[in-house]
Amino acid sequence: MEEPREGLGGRLVGPVRSVWAKHDRDTEGWLPLWRHMADSAAVAGLLWDNWLPENVRALIAKALPGGARDARLLCVWLAAVHDIGKATPAFACQVDQLADRMRAEGLEMKTRRQFGEDRRIAPHGLAGQVLLGEWLEERHGWTARQSGQFAVVPGGHHGVPPEHGQLNDVYDRPHLLRTPGPSGKLWRRVQEELLDACSEEYRVGARLCAWRAVVLPQPMQVLLTAVVIVADWIASNPDLFPYFPQETRGGEERVAAAWRGLRLPSPWWAEEPVGDAQELFASRFDLPPGAKVRPVQEAAVRLAREMPVPGLMIIEAPMGEGKTEAALAVAEIFAARSGAGGVFFALPTMATGNAMFPRLLDWLDRLPAQEGARRSVLLAHSKAALNDEFADLLRAGRQTIAAVDVDAEAERWRPSDERRSAPAELIAHAWLRGRKKAMLSSFVAGTVDQLLFAGLKSRHLALRHLAVAGKVVVIDEAHAYDTYMSVYLDRVLSWLGAYRVPVVVLSATLPAARRRQLAQAYAGAGGDAAGFDSVDQSVTYPLLTTVTPGQAPVVEGPGASSRGGEVRLERLDDGQMVLADRLAVELDGGGCALVVRNTVRRVLETARVLRERFGDEAVTVAHSCFIDVDRAAKDADLLERFGPPEKADGRRPVGPHIVVASQVAEQSLDVDFDLLVTDLCPVDLMLQRMGRLHRHWRGEGQAERPARLRTARCLVTGVDWRGEVPAPVRGSVAVYGAYALLRSAAVLLPHLDGPKRPVRLPDDISPLVQGAYADAPVGPEEWSGAMAAARERHERHRADQAGRAEVFRLDAVGRPGRPLIGWIAAGAGDADDTRAGRAQVRDSKESLEVVVVQRRADGSLATVPWLGGGRGGLELPQDRPPAPAAARAAAGCGLRLPIQFSHAEVMDRAIAELEELYVPAWQVKDSHWLAGQLILALDADCQTRLAGFSLRYSETDGLEVTGD
């Protein structure tokens, strides 16, 4: 049934109504182009009114003479005309019966076969950009430069703005846009009728003259493109917008029903919190009775309120000073003042993302209730569905996207009993799932890769920019990102500054030069002002730095809390037996020690020796080569036994007990030990490790610790100290490089030699870090030759990292008015949260991830036997998909194979061997947990061979690799 003559369709008669936009080969249903244009425009208007955050709307409005009114008109109009390129022979010929319908109306065209491959030169997005540009220039007197900045939005609505060469190819082949001869005039008339009708229906005709003088900044072009993409995707969903001839409703009813069926959560409308910092923190966080906000937290709240407009805030403070809580408090103030509609908390690893997610939910629970508010939340990493808290939200928020009967009442959404209660509903919205849409959720905790992808030339990059542009962005552990990642981070910060996105950067401390780089990247063109000298000249610690684009930064040292203390450093010769002997002395009266090694191999070697000396029950191992469920259990166990006294009361070992860990112990674990032994590492990481030493008070004067261990001590090993220049062990050099290790040793010498002055926390944190990362020489004169050689290698490596990162890095923000043509030319394709995808923004070789299962004696497969909750030993049949519970349990046993398997030849051989266990029954849609996964089957003794290596796995020690 045809649409009643109303709205856009009511303005059109004749051949134009035969032009098609959508077709379903299964049902033979179809959708006229005018109907899809009207649907898209209506959705864009609803997105503008009900979904886009206020700061995004304000940014678009700022560039237009009519402000917010013009911005909405432009957004709706661009959504309406985005598919005008479908009114071309190159597109219309694709479905014979629909092309015949158009031919019957006089719109002649070649068949698809007659066009051949030539047709692909004019995909409908590219054709749409050409047609819209022509219309603006020929009918309204615009120049090509003026039209390009608007027409590029339809041109890029399939994720990739066109390049100049592609546009020239279309200009050279006009037959792809209009059939030559008399029929070409009818094609032109149809195209102009559609564009004229959209201009009239969406009331932009009278504004085109004013818009002709507009200089549209590139960030606004990106945001408009992203909104059009979202509107197009929603309007293209046949469950929401059914095809003809089944559709019988008018336009308004059709759109209203679709919007009820979609039920997108609205953005967060933050209100400026009242009261002082103490009142704010007491209402948002679980403060112990009588606890006072710390100076850093109080200063961060005050500065956030004093900034002329929200911008960048860098918070540098010691471990345990409450930087996370400060960031969330500042985010709330920034959101209220800027109109941001959510928060993205970017963390260095999946493990830290998992740890942050429940804290984010708890904070959301405590925000002021907003009647009827539904807040979309996301845990953003590749294994988020295995996180129990996020999985609960997925189940509770599950909804089928389907058209709603217009005559029926809208279904009332009710939370399930298993979902957490909250003043406002927290949901993982069904439509927002998937790698390209998920980041559009309002509240996100995830890996920093998701943020770095915004600086990577990749398809649908505009959607990632829309996702971050509407939020306050928090970047945690900023010191943890190497040169390669920093190249992307700095470029992303420059775009965030252009979008006026509020950003909070957290770090225990930053090298002064790096602090300035971050500040100048965000400030953009204003970042070279002399006022930025204060950013890298301050020696105060803790330190807060704020940047408002166009103004000089503000630097303030709020002072530290009374927390802290002294740590005495000692050298310890390397050697497993040396370590065992020393620990036997130190732990003679009990106590808990943490031994941090720089490689997994050293962790396992150390644990083996210590177990022989102290017994199996006295040694715990923690490193990155555990299956996912075991790694999560390890973190939980460490927190339970070695966490804060109020949380681990009664469960802390009396001792002696030793935890042997890799770098997983450095961050995001609130654990506390009596003694620390650590391999030499870069000094900022050394300080992070020290943050696990005497982290909490245990009785007056630490009286609850063994008498020998009441003074905090750190034994530095992993080095041959006997030579003229210290020689770190090979594994440490491979991980960190000799230069960083030597400079770390050099700045620590005053604490290791002579009077052995203790490291005072937090007073010595900044001097140590600045000394290690400055350009000035450090260390004894006799080190100078080794230091110079190490520096040369270090600089070559950094230059290599920066050069390789530049290959796919997004260009800087272009001058205002420059169209986004070629914006992501020579890009990386799709950016996704796979190991290969993450390798694009991290300087790491692509590594293999496997799912670990066990092969029984009879050849059958099962989940590994030690999994708790009844998940161990579940059958994994090979002739059919496993039961959902078994498949999810198996998927939770993901394991990243170590560096040995990242070398090209070894990786190829390993993949070939792993693919021998290919189970076709697991590749179906209903078995999504295991589809496409590489399966590593262990024998009954949890051992196997792979690519010439022997692999052994245990619940206590994780993966051990020996062999070639």
Side-chain angles (χ1 to χ4, degrees), residues 24 56 115 202 240 260 506 610 647 710 804 880:
D24 187 327
V56 171
F115 269 119
Y202 303 112
L240 294 172
R260 286 199 301 271
L506 306 179
L610 294 180
K647 296 182 179 179
R710 290 172 189 167
R804 287 184 288 109
R880 63 186 185 279

Side-chain angles (χ1 to χ4, degrees), residues 563-645:
R563 292 167 54 92
E566 295 183 346
V567 178
R568 296 192 177 275
L569 267 59
E570 299 179 32
R571 302 178 194 235
L572 180 66
D573 290 338
D574 196 48
Q576 307 296 0
M577 296 308 299
V578 173
L579 173 64
D581 291 342
R582 182 62 180 271
L583 288 176
V585 173
E586 299 291 350
L587 302 180
D588 183 50
C592 302
L594 172 64
V595 178
V596 183
R597 298 304 207 189
N598 291 339
T599 65
V600 173
R601 174 174 290 182
R602 278 176 62 82
V603 169
L604 296 174
E605 291 172 350
T606 301
R608 190 175 300 114
V609 171
L610 294 180
R611 284 185 177 130
E612 291 175 357
R613 176 71 64 92
F614 296 93
D616 291 349
E617 297 302 316
V619 178
T620 297
V621 168
H623 55 72
S624 59
C625 288
F626 280 90
I627 61 175
D628 294 331
V629 289
D630 287 350
R631 170 75 186 276
K634 284 283 181 185
D635 287 352
D637 173 67
L638 290 175
L639 286 170
E640 182 176 298
R641 291 194 289 160
F642 305 100

Side-chain angles (χ1 to χ4, degrees), residues 15-53:
V16 67
R17 296 180 66 85
S18 70
V19 180
W20 66 277
K22 304 284 182 182
H23 175 253
D24 187 327
R25 296 186 184 278
D26 295 329
T27 66
E28 295 302 329
W30 72 290
L31 203 62
L33 178 55
W34 64 264
R35 177 70 274 168
H36 179 58
M37 296 170 89
D39 291 342
S40 301
V43 171
L46 289 166
L47 290 173
W48 183 273
D49 295 337
N50 303 293
W51 183 72
L52 279 181

